[in-house]
């Protein structure tokens, strides 16, 4: 059972391996959402995510024989690092099965803690099935990433810390993949204050708990499709499902495009790297149906590889109209490019890339196409540049940006 005594026990134990992640008040997100928004930066943990809490507490509850058999788990990355690090602290072997789609940074960091990594399957569920097979073959002790009450108890220590810093918290937003974090946080929150509201946030392309709530039983999605790889789970936990039903007040789903913009907002306003799954609660701030409340958004992790980071930043700039591409048709005459460039410069546009196509029509003297990729200050500035091009007689047309 998830009891207050167990949560208190876990809170003491996890301090042996966790950093103190103090709440960060966000002026930016508070003003944007109309609430008093605090961030719980679990991306700042040693392993880059909250998962270390549940893994370490779970292993602390095992017998010596269970540990000596060796540990095994399946994970999209953050639980993997948590188990690997916790196992190293206890001096026991750990085998981690990870989906083949796991970001390289998560694979390498898991290996760096001394664990053996096995890549299998495209999503977590396939990796988990294989991990169970290996556990049966070798007698390993399985550490489930979310469908385990001890693991959920360890994750719930986040709520204990939130209440110590912000006793008057009214809403807590938690990301949901399999539901372990949401189970621990929501259960302890309700024990400490039954009036508090806990909102779970899922990616629209992997909303397995929302589907399960709608059907009244644990349900499995046919597929998942989201950039939030840490929450790309087809089936929520069965052991923890009753706790989720009882303690989660609402589920919000977030599209991938919203996560991209949230990443840009977080980097620019808080100088923090938060992975897509960890940004679910930030993106959900735009969907809240209330104002002037004390809200805590749990940032569950920050393990993102540089290539993904670069792609997300570029897409975020495009979504925010900070980068755009415009097509204009010009007579194929000397000096035309200089005239367009000067007009853009007069309106403080910054040219990133030019593509000059002489073969857009059969009559080159009538028109050639010039595609200009520009950097702007935002939507209003973009509109100003487009208007200037139009008034200059260039008949601009917005086209898809390709960086």
């Amino acid at each position: 059972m998830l009891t207050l005594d167990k949560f208190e026990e876990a809170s003491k134990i996890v301090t042996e391996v966790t950093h103190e992640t103090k709440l960060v008040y966000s002026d930016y997100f508070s003003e944007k959402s109309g609430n008093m928004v605090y961030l719980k930066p679990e991306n700042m943990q040693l392993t880059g995510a909250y998962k270390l809490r549940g893994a370490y507490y779970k292993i602390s509850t095992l017998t010596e024989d269970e540990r000596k058999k060796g540990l095994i788990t399946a994970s999209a990355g953050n639980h993997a690092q948590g188990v690997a690090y916790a196992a190293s602290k206890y001096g026991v072997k750990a085998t981690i099965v990870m989906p083949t789609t796991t970001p390289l940074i998560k694979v390498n960091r898991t290996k760096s803690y001394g664990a053996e990594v096995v890549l299998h399957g495209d999503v977590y569920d396939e990796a988990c099935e294989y991990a169970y097979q290996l556990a049966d073959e070798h007698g390993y002790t399985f550490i489930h990433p979310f469908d385990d009450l001890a693991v959920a108890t360890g994750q719930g220590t986040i709520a204990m810390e939130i209440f110590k810093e912000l006793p008057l918290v009214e809403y807590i937003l938690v990301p949901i993949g399999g539901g372990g974090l949401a189970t621990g946080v929501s259960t302890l929150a309700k024990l400490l204050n039954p009036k508090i509201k806990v909102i779970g946030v899922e990616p629209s392309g992997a909303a397995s708990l929302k589907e399960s709530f709608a059907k009244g039983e644990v349900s499995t999605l046919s597929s998942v499709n989201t950039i939030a790889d840490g929450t790309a789970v087809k089936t929520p936990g069965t052991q923890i499902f009753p706790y989720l039903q009882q303690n989660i007040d609402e589920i919000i789903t977030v599209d991938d495009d919203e996560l991209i913009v949230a990443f840009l907002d977080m980097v620019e306003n808080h100088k923090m790297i938060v992975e897509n799954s960890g940004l679910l609660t930030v993106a959900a701030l735009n969907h809240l149906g209330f104002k002037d409340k004390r809200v805590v958004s749990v940032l569950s992790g920050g393990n993102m590889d540089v290539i993904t980071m670069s792609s997300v930043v570029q897409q975020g700039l495009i979504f925010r109209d900070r980068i755009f591409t415009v097509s204009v048709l010009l007579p194929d005459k000397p000096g035309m490019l200089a005239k367009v460039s000067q007009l853009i410069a007069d309106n403080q546009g910054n040219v990133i890339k030019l593509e000059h196509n002489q073969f857009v029509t059969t009559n080159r003297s009538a028109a050639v196409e010039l595609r200009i990729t520009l950097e702007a200050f935002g939507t209003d500035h973009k509109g100003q540049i487009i208007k200037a091009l139009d008034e200059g007689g260039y008949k601009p047309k917005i086209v898809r940006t390709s960086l």
Side-chain angles (χ1 to χ4, degrees):
M1 296 292 290
L2 302 180
T3 64
L4 192 55
D5 286 344
K6 288 297 182 183
F7 281 118
E8 289 179 338
E9 176 185 82
S11 293
K12 293 177 183 177
I13 290 174
V14 300
T15 57
E16 297 172 8
V17 292
T18 55
H19 292 320
E20 190 176 21
T21 55
K22 291 277 190 181
L23 294 177
V24 177
Y25 182 76
S26 174
D27 290 313
Y28 176 79
F29 291 115
S30 294
E31 182 177 351
K32 189 177 177 183
S33 68
N35 289 289
M36 293 163 279
V37 176
Y38 297 80
L39 308 174
K40 178 63 171 170
E42 286 294 292
N43 56 309
M44 304 304 290
Q45 287 296 351
L46 177 66
T47 58
Y50 74 96
K51 287 283 192 177
L52 177 58
R53 297 172 181 270
Y56 192 75
Y57 179 64
K58 171 64 178 180
I59 295 172
S60 77
T61 66
L62 299 177
T63 65
E64 282 297 323
D65 287 342
E66 287 172 323
R67 293 180 196 141
K68 287 179 180 178
K69 290 177 181 178
L71 310 177
I72 190 168
T73 193
S75 169
N78 289 334
H79 179 68
Q81 292 177 69
V83 171
Y85 182 79
S88 70
K89 297 296 284 185
Y90 277 97
V92 296
K93 176 186 176 183
T95 301
I96 317 292
V97 183
M98 308 177 80
T100 57
T101 54
T102 303
L104 182 61
I105 187 174
K106 293 183 179 181
V107 174
N108 288 342
R109 284 185 177 173
T110 302
K111 290 180 178 178
S112 74
Y113 297 127
E116 177 187 352
V117 174
V118 177
L119 298 178
H120 183 90
D122 293 328
V123 295
Y124 159 76
D125 302 78
E126 294 170 0
C128 186
E129 184 178 349
Y130 188 61
Y132 274 122
Q133 292 179 24
L134 293 178
D136 289 339
E137 290 175 14
H138 301 283
Y140 298 145
T141 299
F142 191 87
I143 308 294
H144 202 285
F146 53 85
D147 199 19
D148 183 291
L149 297 185
V151 170
T153 301
Q155 320 299 28
T157 58
I158 288 175
M160 189 75 79
E161 294 174 10
I162 290 173
F163 271 86
K164 286 181 179 178
E165 275 197 83
L166 190 65
L168 298 180
V169 58
E170 296 167 276
Y171 286 83
I172 300 177
L173 274 58
V174 289
I176 294 179
L181 172 62
T183 296
V185 169
S186 63
T187 302
L188 178 54
K190 298 289 186 177
L191 287 172
L192 295 174
N193 179 6
K195 294 182 179 180
I196 198 169
K197 302 294 183 184
V198 181
I199 299 175
V201 190
E202 290 185 297
S204 300
S208 58
L209 187 62
K210 186 173 183 178
E211 176 78 6
S212 298
F213 273 13
K215 293 183 177 179
E217 60 183 8
V218 174
S219 303
T220 300
L221 300 176
S222 58
S223 63
V224 293
N225 182 17
T226 177
I227 62 172
D229 58 280
T231 48
V233 178
K234 290 182 178 180
T235 312
T238 54
Q239 291 188 58
I240 59 178
F241 186 66
Y243 294 93
L244 292 166
Q245 282 183 305
Q246 181 178 346
N247 298 311
I248 294 293
D249 296 282
E250 180 186 354
I251 294 179
I252 292 174
T253 57
V254 169
D255 294 335
D256 282 357
D257 288 355
E258 296 176 86
L259 297 176
I260 290 172
V261 173
F263 181 85
L264 197 62
D265 284 342
M266 187 62 67
V267 170
E268 289 194 319
N269 293 284
H270 287 285
K271 310 300 183 287
M272 284 198 295
I273 300 298
V274 183
E275 63 187 271
N276 292 317
S277 295
L279 289 166
L280 285 166
T281 60
V282 174
L285 293 169
N286 296 324
H287 299 269
L288 300 180
F290 51 81
K291 302 289 183 183
D292 300 319
K293 302 295 183 183
R294 297 176 190 85
V295 179
V296 173
S297 287
V298 177
L299 310 180
S300 56
N303 292 313
M304 179 182 276
D305 66 90
V306 176
I307 293 176
T308 300
M309 204 182 303
S310 174
S311 176
V312 170
V313 168
Q314 287 182 3
Q315 289 301 313
L317 290 171
I318 292 169
F319 290 160
R320 279 287 165 86
D321 288 332
R322 300 267 292 280
I323 292 177
F324 68 98
T325 302
V326 62
S327 168
V328 297
L329 296 178
L330 306 174
D332 192 15
K333 298 177 182 179
M336 293 306 298
L337 177 58
K339 288 182 179 181
V340 174
S341 298
Q342 187 60 54
L343 190 152
I344 292 172
D346 290 343
N347 286 273
Q348 295 184 294
N350 185 36
V351 176
I352 296 175
K353 183 171 67 172
L354 291 173
E355 296 176 88
H356 190 245
N357 183 5
Q358 291 183 318
F359 303 105
V360 69
T361 70
T362 56
N363 187 355
R364 285 171 49 191
S365 62
V368 295
E369 182 189 34
L370 180 66
R371 290 196 173 195
I372 313 163
T373 300
L374 298 160
E375 183 180 15
F377 302 135
T379 303
D380 290 343
H381 189 208
K382 172 185 174 181
Q384 175 189 326
I385 295 171
I386 297 298
K387 182 180 179 182
L389 288 170
D390 189 48
E391 291 176 348
Y394 297 108
K395 297 181 180 179
K397 182 172 67 173
I398 297 296
V399 296
R400 181 183 177 89
T401 299
S402 177
L403 294 175

